[in-house]
Amino acid sequence: MLKQAIIQAGGKGTRLGKLTEQTPKPLVEVAGKSLLEYQLDWCRDHSLKEVCIVVNYLSERIEAFLEKKRKKYPGMQIRCVHEEQALGTAGILPYLSEELDDEFLLLYGDVLFDIDLDRMLGFHRAKKADASLVLHPNDHPYDSDLVVTDEDERVRAFLSKPHAEGLRYRNLVNAALYLLSKTIIEDIPKGEASDFGKDIFPKAVQKRKIYGYSTPEFLKDMGTPDRRDAVEKAVLSGKVKRRNLRCRQKAIFLDRDGVLNYDTDLIHRPEDFKLYPYTADALKRINASDYLSVITTNQSVIARNLTDIDGLREIHDKMETELGHEGAFVDAIYYCPHHPDGGFPGENAAFKKKCSCRKPSPGMIMQATERFHINLKKSWMIGDSERDIQAGKAAGVRTIGLKTGHGLKKSRTEPDLFFSNLTEAVNHILERPYEKLVEEVMYKLPEEGSGHILLLGGNSRTGKTHLSREIEWALEEEGISCFTIHLDDWILPKEERPADPDVFANFNFTQIQSDLSLILDGQRVELQGYRRHPDRPSVPVSYQYENQQVILVEGILALADAEWRKKAHLKIFTHCDRAVHEERIKTFYRWKGHTDDSIDQQYQQRLVNEYEVVDQMALHADILHSTG
C-alpha cells in the first residue's frame, strides 16, 4: 500500500506577484482554502500516512499553518524538511533516501489536482515502472514542457520550452506529479541543484522504465494570477472533483475525417491534413465543459501500407499542434489500423484482419470507457458515416450525424440527431436548447395510464425531430414507455407526387389518416420508408402500437387533422424566424446535391404551398416553441 508523499513547497512563486510577497506559494488561497490544504486533504482521502513538505521561502509561515491544521489529519505524520539551499525539484531526495519507501509520490506545491490514485498506482505497477509521470493535454502546449511517449506509453523524450519554431508535437504536458520507485534516487547527484523534467528524467529514459500516465483529471499549476483565477473557478463549479476518475465521466466521441478535418480520402501525409476553420472553437467549448473529447477513427491507411504508425503519429502531431495554438485539445485519440479485406498488392499483411476496434464495432469506444470510467448513457458519438453511427449505437451512446464529410448520404442507419457541422452539434449538446420545453412537456403529460397522444408539428427544418428525441430520452429516464410515429415515413417518392403538389399531396395525407387509425387499433402498418438523400436507399419501416404510455406523433402535418387534435393530450408546434428557416432549408438541399438556383426556385414555390400553409397550424398548438 502506498503511504508516502513529498511536497515540494520551497519556491518563491514570483510570477504570482503581490500574492506571494508575504505568503509562500503553497499558502495562497483558492476559494477560501490554501493550496497546501487541498493537497493534504487529497493525501488524507487517499490513505497516505506520511507527508514530507520541503520548505525554504517563508518556511515559518508554512510551519505555523501546519500547527493549526494538525488536528484535521489524525493518523498522518506531517513534517517539514528545510532546504537550506535551493536544490531544484529533485536535489533533496538523496538526503531523504533512508527514510523513503520503495514507492512514493512527489508533488509540486503550486499544483491543484484531484486524481484517482488507485488507478495511477495500478498503471505504475502493471508497467513495473521506475517512475510514472502524470501527463495531460492543456490549452497552452506551445509554452509547456512536453513529453514524448511510444505506443506502450513509455517515455522516450522530453521537449522543454521554449520549443523550436515549426515543431510538431503531441499535446502531452508534464503535470508535475510523479509516482517514483526509490531506484530513481541513484540518478540524482547529491549536493547539486537538479530538476526532474530538465535534468533527471531526460537522462534516465535510456536506462530506467519511465512511463507517462495520461489522464483528463484536473491538474493545473497556479504559476500566474490568471491561472490561479481559472483554478478557483473550477473549484467553485465542482469541476475539480467531478473530473476525478472515481466519478463516472461523460464523453463526446468524435470521428476524425469529415468531422474535425476535410476528408480528402485516405489521408496519409501531414500536408494533406486540414482542420475545418471552426474545429478548434468547437473543441474549446468541449474542453471547458464536463465532457471529455475522445477521437475514435478508422485508419486503414496503415493496413493499406500508405503510411505506418509513425506516419499516422505525424499527422496527429500536426493536428494537436494546430489545435494547441488555438487553445484547444483532445483528451485522447484512439485509432484502428486494420482492414478486414486482404490479398491486395502492397498491403501491410500484419494489419489486414478482422478486429473488434474497427467501426462499426464499438471497440475503441469501449477501450476509452474502461480507461476513463465513462458513463455511456450520458455520452455522445459524432460522425459523418454510417460506421460511426452504428458504433455509437452498439456502444449505447447517443448519436449525431453531420452533413460534412461523407454526410451520411448513403447511410441506412439513422442517427439520433443530425446537424450541419461540428459547431452545431456541440452547441446542441452543451446548451441543451430544449431542456425547459421538455420539462414543461413532462409536467403536462398525464402520470398514469397509456395511449396519451402528443402531437408535434411544424415546418421542415424547425427542430421537430430533435425535440421528439429529447422527449423520448426524458420519458425513458422516467421509466415511461413511448411509441413514436414519424410522419416523414409517409412522404411520397418524388416520381409519385402530383405535377403541382401541395404539402398534403406530397404526404398522401389520406393514407396517413387511414394508417394512423389502424396503428392506434393495434394493427401493423408497413411502409417503404423515406429516402432523405438521393443516394440513400429506402429502408422499410413498420409500426405496431403495443399499449405504450405515450404516443408521440411527429411531422409537418401532425396538427393538420381535427380528429387527431381532439384525441391529443398535448399539441406542440415548432417555429423559427423566416430568414433562419430559409438558410436551414438551403443547407439541407445543398446536402442533397441541389444547385443554389434550383434551391431558390424550390423555396419560393414551397413558401406558398407548404411553409405558409403549415405555419397556420400553429393556431391549434398548446405550446409554440421558437428555434433559431
Side-chain angles (χ1 to χ4, degrees), residues 238-255:
K239 184 174 182 177
V240 175
K241 288 190 175 296
R242 290 194 299 272
R243 271 296 172 90
N244 187 303
L245 291 183
R246 288 180 172 180
C247 304
R248 297 191 73 185
Q249 304 297 307
K250 300 185 296 184
I252 298 176
F253 297 99
L254 302 153
D255 180 46

Side-chain angles (χ1 to χ4, degrees), residues 258-481:
V259 173
L260 303 179
N261 59 280
Y262 295 94
D263 188 356
T264 55
D265 193 31
L266 299 177
I267 296 170
H268 58 278
R269 303 182 307 168
E271 53 265 39
D272 296 330
F273 182 91
K274 185 179 179 182
L275 290 166
Y276 289 125
Y278 49 75
T279 297
D281 285 339
L283 285 172
K284 280 195 288 187
R285 294 209 65 199
I286 299 175
N287 300 154
S289 75
D290 279 347
Y291 286 90
L292 305 181
S293 54
V294 180
I295 293 176
T296 59
T297 176
N298 289 351
Q299 290 299 321
S300 67
V301 289
I302 294 175
R304 298 170 190 268
N305 214 18
L306 297 173
T307 190
D308 55 17
I309 289 174
D310 288 338
L312 180 61
R313 186 181 296 115
E314 288 181 13
I315 293 171
H316 286 157
D317 286 352
K318 177 184 180 183
M319 176 184 71
E320 293 205 62
T321 302
E322 291 179 356
L323 289 173
H325 279 295
E326 298 296 325
F329 59 86
V330 293
D331 289 293
I333 301 173
Y334 288 84
Y335 67 87
C336 170
H338 308 115
H339 194 279
D341 302 326
F344 296 94
E347 69 185 16
N348 187 334
F351 294 99
K352 283 283 189 172
K353 62 180 183 180
K354 292 183 178 180
C355 63
S356 62
C357 53
R358 180 176 169 82
K359 293 178 289 188
S361 295
M364 290 183 281
I365 294 176
M366 303 315 294
Q367 289 176 48
T369 298
E370 181 177 359
R371 177 180 171 188
F372 298 133
H373 196 199
I374 290 171
N375 182 346
L376 292 172
K377 288 187 178 294
K378 298 292 185 180
S379 299
W380 299 80
M381 174 74 211
I382 302 178
D384 69 309
S385 75
E386 184 170 33
R387 290 190 297 267
D388 301 325
I389 305 307
Q390 290 172 331
K393 289 182 179 294
V397 303
R398 298 173 181 181
T399 59
I400 292 180
L402 301 184
K403 294 185 178 76
T404 51
H406 291 287
L408 292 171
K409 293 175 181 177
K410 298 182 179 181
S411 176
R412 295 170 59 91
T413 305
E414 288 290 341
D416 293 312
L417 307 176
F418 197 35
F419 291 100
S420 294
N421 55 43
L422 180 63
T423 297
E424 288 187 5
V426 170
N427 288 348
H428 180 88
I429 293 171
L430 301 185
E431 294 174 5
R432 304 184 67 180
Y434 297 111
E435 183 174 21
K436 290 184 178 179
L437 176 57
V438 171
E439 289 176 358
E440 182 180 0
V441 170
M442 296 293 289
Y443 177 77
K444 291 185 175 182
L445 283 174
E447 295 182 3
E448 298 179 354
S450 62
H452 306 306
I453 297 176
L454 194 163
L455 301 179
L456 175 51
N459 263 305
S460 174
R461 325 317 305 167
T462 58
K464 298 183 305 302
T465 304
H466 292 171
L467 175 55
S468 71
R469 291 299 290 133
E470 295 286 352
I471 292 172
E472 288 173 346
W473 289 326
L475 291 169
E476 180 183 346
E477 289 179 1
E478 294 296 323
I480 299 172
S481 58

Side-chain angles (χ1 to χ4, degrees), residues 44 125 188 214 236 299 325 328 341 411 461 506:
R44 177 200 59 203
R125 291 175 177 172
I188 303 173
S214 179
L236 292 172
Q299 290 299 321
H325 279 295
D341 302 326
S411 176
R461 325 317 305 167
N506 282 347

Side-chain angles (χ1 to χ4, degrees), residues 5 30 89 235 350 415-416 514 525 530 541 564 576:
V30 178
T89 59
V235 170
D416 293 312
S514 171
V525 170
Y530 167 52
V541 296
W564 304 347
C576 67

